Amino acid sequence: MSKVKNIAVLTSGGDAPGMNAAIRAIVRTGNYFQLNVYGVMYGYRGLINGEIMKMDSRSVANIIQRGGTILKTARCKEFFGYEGRQRAYEQLKKYQIDGLIVIGGDGTFKGALTFSKEFDIPCIGLPGTIDKDIDGTDFTIGFDTAVNTAVRAIDKIRDTAEAHDRLFIVEVMGRDAGYIALHSGIATGAEHVLLPERPTKIQDIINELQANERRKKLVNIIVVAEGDESGGANEVARAIKEQLPHFDTRVCILGHIQRGGSPTCMDRVIASRLGYAAVQALMEGKHHNCMIGIVNNQLHYTPLEKAVKARQGIDPEWFQMIRILAS
Amino acid sequence: MSKVKNIAVLTSGGDAPGMNAAIRAIVRTGNYFQLNVYGVMYGYRGLINGEIMKMDSRSVANIIQRGGTILKTARCKEFFGYEGRQRAYEQLKKYQIDGLIVIGGDGTFKGALTFSKEFDIPCIGLPGTIDKDIDGTDFTIGFDTAVNTAVRAIDKIRDTAEAHDRLFIVEVMGRDAGYIALHSGIATGAEHVLLPERPTKIQDIINELQANERRKKLVNIIVVAEGDESGGANEVARAIKEQLPHFDTRVCILGHIQRGGSPTCMDRVIASRLGYAAVQALMEGKHHNCMIGIVNNQLHYTPLEKAVKARQGIDPEWFQMIRILAS
Amino acid sequence: MSKVKNIAVLTSGGDAPGMNAAIRAIVRTGNYFQLNVYGVMYGYRGLINGEIMKMDSRSVANIIQRGGTILKTARCKEFFGYEGRQRAYEQLKKYQIDGLIVIGGDGTFKGALTFSKEFDIPCIGLPGTIDKDIDGTDFTIGFDTAVNTAVRAIDKIRDTAEAHDRLFIVEVMGRDAGYIALHSGIATGAEHVLLPERPTKIQDIINELQANERRKKLVNIIVVAEGDESGGANEVARAIKEQLPHFDTRVCILGHIQRGGSPTCMDRVIASRLGYAAVQALMEGKHHNCMIGIVNNQLHYTPLEKAVKARQGIDPEWFQMIRILAS
Amino acid sequence: MSKVKNIAVLTSGGDAPGMNAAIRAIVRTGNYFQLNVYGVMYGYRGLINGEIMKMDSRSVANIIQRGGTILKTARCKEFFGYEGRQRAYEQLKKYQIDGLIVIGGDGTFKGALTFSKEFDIPCIGLPGTIDKDIDGTDFTIGFDTAVNTAVRAIDKIRDTAEAHDRLFIVEVMGRDAGYIALHSGIATGAEHVLLPERPTKIQDIINELQANERRKKLVNIIVVAEGDESGGANEVARAIKEQLPHFDTRVCILGHIQRGGSPTCMDRVIASRLGYAAVQALMEGKHHNCMIGIVNNQLHYTPLEKAVKARQGIDPEWFQMIRILAS
C-alpha cells in the first residue's frame, strides 16, 4: 500500500529541457496509482505563496516534446529562511500533501533537504540542470539537449569560419562546470577547449595559433565555458587580439538558446524514467530525501546531502585527445 | 553559339548559405554547355593573386546542402585601386576568361561594375547576402536560411523566457537592414521589433512593458537589428533596466550562427536558378553588367549600377500588425 | 465602423503547418478591434455539431510555433448536403456569428462558397495546404515547411545513398500537384523528378541510369510525387528493378512527416499576415467570398469560385535545369 | 614504441552516423603518433580489390559533422571465403599494413575475427550500428542519431495525428533489436511499442484502442520495430483495420532517413573516443582482436568472439512504464 496519498512536484533553479517530460511522468504515474498529484508553480516561491494546482493526465498531454517547464521556475530567497519554509509547509498541509518531488540542481536539493528535516515531509530530488555537474548520476535532465544545441550552433559557426579563414571564440554555458564546453568542443572538432576545471595559459593557445598559421591552418575554433577562469570569450579574444592583431577574430556567446528547445530523445527518456521512479520511491516510503539519478544505466539513489555540485577534475587524457584530433 | 568560352565565378563579402548551390549550378551549367569554368578563391583577393582553379562536376558534388562557400570569401581593399584591378585582369587574361560571375552584396557589385567598365569583361552579379537589402530582387541567397536560424533560436529563448517570466532582448544581424529582425520578430511573436529603417522611442517600449506587467504579462521578447539606431541589444537592455530594475531582463546576441548552416529549400532553389541563369546570360551575351534577381517569381535583370543596397522604408502597417499580434 | 461583431474561424481538409499562426492572428486581430472571435473545432463538422468556443488572446498564446491546428480538422460529408449546411447556419445564428474565416484548400473553399450564397454569411478563405496548388496566391500556408521537411529527409537519405552507392526512389506528398517534388528535387540535387503535371517515360530514366553507371555515377536519387501517373515510388522501383536488377535500389515514402513540425519563418509570416488581413476584410465588408492570397508580395483577393486547384503546367525549363544540375 | 607502423581502417555493413568522426579520430591519432594510416574503400570488398588510399589530416577535415562514411561501405560475400580473405591479406602486405580497424556490426566483427586468426593481423573492432544491438558496450556509434531522427519524425506525425484524431502506426528500423522502437516510443509518448524482443498480442492493443475510444482518446501512436514478429507496421495496421474499420488509421515507415544526418553530440564524442582508443590499442599491442566499447563511461574491451548481437530481453518494467505514461 502506498505510503503517500497526495504528492506535489515543482521545478526550481535554472530551467532545463526535459523537465516537462519528468512532470508528465510524475503526474501520470501518480494518477495511475491513484494518488493526487499537485503541481507547484514557480518552484519554492509558489510553494510559499500557495500557487498550487491539481493536475491530471490532460494537464500534461503533449508536453513531453516541449522545452521549458509548464510549472515555471524561479529562484526564491524566502525559502532560505525558516519563516518561508514554515509558510511552505502550511501550504502543503492545506492540501494534505505528504510527499514532494523537486526537480533542479544542487541549490534546489539543499532547500529540499533542510525543509524535509524541519517538517518531516519526504522529499525526492531529480537532477535537472543543463550543466551536468551533479554527483551521483551519469546524466542530468537537460544536458544532452543543451550540448546538442551548442554543437549545432558551433557547426554553423564553423561554416562561416571556413568561408572567411577566421578564428572564433565561442562561449558556452557552464558557470562551475565545463561539461558542455568539453563535449561540444570534442564534437565540433574545436582546436581548444577552456574549462573551469582546469587552468589554461592563454599564452600556450596564442603560441599554437601562430604555429597553426605557419602551416596555413587559419580556421580555429576555441570553445570557452562561461565560468572559465579566463573570464569568458570576450576576455580570451581580447588577450589574443593583443598579440595577434592580424588574425580575423570573432566572438560568439551562445547564451540562453542552450536552455530551450525540444528535448533530445535521451533527455526525454531519462526524465520519464526518473519521474516514474520518483513516484514509486514516495509510494514505497523508501529513498526519502534522496536524489534519484542513473548510474551505469541503473537507478541510483544518493542522499540529498551528497547530491551537490560535482567537483571532480577532468581527466587530462581528454585534453590530449582534443589537441590530437584537431591537429 | 556561346559568346564566352571560359568563365569564372567568385564569392565576395559576407558569406551566405546557398552560395555553394549557386557555385554548383554555375559549374554544371557551364560544363554542360562545354564552357570551362574556373573558381576563384577568396573573392577579388584571389582574383588579384591568381588563386584560380578549374572546376568540374565533381568539384561541386555534394555541396548543395552545405553552408559557407567552398570558394571562400574575403574583403579586399586592393581591388578598390586601379592597380589591383589591373592585376586581376591580367589573371583573367592568363586563363582566357571572358566572363565573370560574382556572388555577393552591393560592395561586390560596385567592384564588378568598375572592373567590367575598365577592362571590358562581361560581369554578372548574383545577390548573395543574408540581409536581403538589395534592390531588384525579392529574395537574396541566404536570407531565408538566416532568418529561419534566428527564428529557431528565438523559439528556444522563448521556452526559457516562459519558464522564468523574463524579458529577453535578442539581437539579430542586419547592419543597415531590418529584414531579419522584422521577419523573425513576426514569426516568433515578439512584442517589439527595432529596426534601422524606423526610429523607435525606447520610452514607448518601457511604457508598454509596464502596461504588460499590470495585466500580468511578464514574458516579453524584443528583437533588435544590430544596426538599429538604439545601438543594439545591450544598449536597449541598459535603458530598460534603468527604469525597470525589477524586471528579469536578459540579452542574447545571436551573432554568426545566422551566417552558417545548411541552406533552406528556398535558398537552394533560388541559388540554383540564379546560377543557371547567370551562365546563360553570359553565353547569350545579354544582360552584361547586370545583377540577376527574382521579381514576381521571374528572372529579373538590374544594371549593376542600380543593384545597390535597398533604402526603402518599411510599411508602418507591419509594426501595427506586430503590436496587435503580440497583444 | 466594423461590419461584423462576431466572427468564427475553422480549419478544414488536410492540416498544414502554419494554420495555428493564422488562427492566432485572427483571434488577436479580432479581439484588438473588439470583435468576439469563435473557434470552430473539426472544420465544417464542428460547425454543424456546434463545437464552437469563444477564444481570446490566451487561447492562442504560444501556438505560433506549433505544427498542426489547435482547432483540429476533419473532412465532412454532411456539409455537402443542404441539410448539413442549414444546421451549420443555425449554429452560427445561435452565436450571432456574422463572418466566417475558413482555412484550407479548394474543397474547403467550395463548401464556403455554397454556404455563403445560401445563407448570406460573408466568408473569407485562406489558402492552407502543403501542396501549394491553389490559384491566386504565390504561397500557401504549409508548403514551405513541408518542402523543407522533405529536403532535410532527402539530405539524410543522400548520406546513406552515398555510403552504399545506392539508387533511392523517394516519394513525397502531392496527389495532384508536383510542387513539393519539384522544389525538393532541385534543392537536393535529385537526378530525376516525377510529377503529375508532366508525363515521364520510365524507360528514359532507366536509360540514363545506365549511362550514369557507365560513367561510374552510382548514387542516384529520384523524387516522385505521390500523384505521379507512374503510380508512386514503389511502382517506379519495380519497373527499374526489372531492367536493372543489379542496381542497389531502395524506396522511401516520406509520408505524414511532411504535414507536421514547427512551421518555417515564411509559413508563420504568411499565415500571420493573411489572418490579420482576413479580419480586416470582414470588418470593412469588402472582399466577401474571396480567398486572400499573396501575389507579388501584396495581398491579393480572388473570388472563391476561382480559388480552385491550380492546373498549370510546369515550365519544361525546370526539367532541363534539373538534369543539367544533377549531371 | 609502437607495435605497428602502418594501419588501415574500413567501415562495413550498414552505415551509421558518426562513422566519419571515428575515421577522423583514427587518422589524426595515427598521424600524430607517426603512423601511416590507410583508408579502405567499400569495406572488405575494397580490401580484396585494393581500393586503399593513404590518408592524412586534411583527408578528414570537416567530416566530423557529416553523416554517412567517406570510406563508403558494402556487404561482401567474397570475404566469407578463404580465397577472398587471402587476396585481402595480400593487399595488406602490399602496403605493409600491420594493424586493421573495422567499424561495423557483428557481421563485420565475425569477418575480422576469422581474418585475423588466419593471417595473424591484429584487428580492432568498433561498434558502428544504429541498432545498438552489440554486447559489450552501452552505446554504439549511430544509435543516438538514429533514435533522435525517429523522435523528431514521430513528433511531426503526432502534430498531424492530433489535428485529425488519427491512429498512426510508425515503423522504425531494427531488424533484430527493438532499441530504436523502445527509446523513440518512450520519448514520443507512444501508446504502444512493438519489439522483436517481446511478443505482443495485437488483440490486446485493439482492446486498448477501444477502451481509449470510449474515454474519447482518439489520437494513438503505435511504434513498431521493423523486425517485430507482427510483420511490421503494414501488418499491424491491417489487423487493426479489420476490427476497427471506423478508426482513421495511417501507416508511416520512417525508413532510411534514420541512417543519415549529421551525428548528435553523443555519437561524435563516442566515435572520437573509440577511434582514438583503437589506434592506441594497436600501438600498444594490446587488446588485439577485441571490440572496444564504452561501459559505465569507461573504455571496455571485448574479444571479437563475444562481440556478437546482444540477445538480451528487455525488462518488462519498461513496458509497464510506457503504458502508464501514455495513459
Side-chain angles (χ1 to χ4, degrees), chain A residues 13-15 42 45 66-69 71-75 149 153-157 159-166 168 218-219 250-262, chain B residues 13-15 42 45 66-69 71-75 149 153-157 159-166 168 218-219 250-262:
Chain A
D15 62 317
Y42 296 106
R45 195 180 81 198
R66 307 275 180 242
T69 158
L71 294 180
K72 302 209 174 207
T73 178
R75 304 192 191 270
T149 298
I154 302 174
D155 282 353
K156 288 186 169 68
I157 290 168
D159 282 345
T160 185
E162 295 281 344
H164 286 273
D165 285 351
R166 273 181 181 153
F168 269 90
L218 301 170
V219 181
R250 291 289 190 281
V251 168
C252 264
I253 296 174
L254 297 186
H256 282 78
I257 60 168
Q258 294 163 88
R259 289 211 170 275
S262 179
Chain B
D15 62 317
Y42 296 105
R45 194 180 84 198
R66 308 277 180 240
T69 158
L71 294 179
K72 302 209 174 206
T73 179
R75 304 193 191 269
T149 299
I154 302 173
D155 282 353
K156 288 185 168 68
I157 290 168
D159 282 345
T160 184
E162 294 281 344
H164 287 271
D165 285 352
R166 273 181 180 152
F168 269 90
L218 301 170
V219 181
R250 291 287 191 282
V251 168
C252 262
I253 296 174
L254 297 186
H256 282 79
I257 61 169
Q258 294 163 88
R259 288 211 171 276
S262 179

Side-chain angles (χ1 to χ4, degrees), chain D residues 27-185:
Chain D
V27 171
R28 294 203 167 159
T29 306
N31 280 187
Y32 181 85
F33 291 114
Q34 260 128 44
L35 310 183
N36 294 309
V37 185
Y38 293 90
V40 180
M41 300 298 293
Y42 295 106
Y44 293 124
R45 195 181 84 197
L47 197 59
I48 292 173
N49 298 339
E51 294 183 78
I52 297 173
M53 60 186 180
K54 200 164 169 183
M55 300 183 82
D56 63 13
S57 187
R58 282 184 190 243
S59 336
V60 293
N62 235 336
I63 65 165
I64 195 171
Q65 76 275 43
R66 307 275 180 243
T69 158
I70 61 165
L71 294 179
K72 300 208 174 206
T73 179
R75 305 193 190 269
C76 173
K77 282 186 192 165
E78 271 186 286
F79 199 72
F80 288 118
Y82 179 78
E83 202 192 335
R85 291 191 297 271
Q86 194 167 38
R87 285 176 56 200
Y89 178 63
E90 276 153 25
Q91 295 290 356
L92 290 185
K93 274 206 301 189
K94 200 164 111 189
Y95 291 91
Q96 299 187 282
I97 290 163
D98 47 11
L100 179 64
I101 301 168
V102 300
I103 311 173
D106 74 335
T108 304
F109 299 156
K110 276 176 203 154
L113 180 63
T114 312
F115 185 57
S116 80
K117 281 185 179 163
E118 284 171 351
F119 298 100
D120 195 30
I121 176 105
C123 289
I124 299 286
L126 300 185
T129 159
I130 63 168
D131 291 342
K132 212 183 96 155
D133 58 337
I134 299 284
D135 262 339
T137 189
D138 292 348
F139 308 101
T140 60
I141 298 166
F143 170 73
D144 191 57
T145 306
V147 78
N148 272 293
T149 298
V151 165
R152 300 299 175 198
I154 302 173
D155 282 353
K156 288 185 169 70
I157 290 168
R158 187 172 282 281
D159 282 346
T160 185
E162 294 281 345
H164 287 272
D165 285 351
R166 274 182 180 152
L167 162 65
F168 269 91
I169 327 280
V170 183
E171 184 175 307
V172 298
M173 282 194 161
R175 222 163 275 166
D176 306 294
Y179 290 101
I180 294 180
L182 181 69
H183 286 248
S184 67

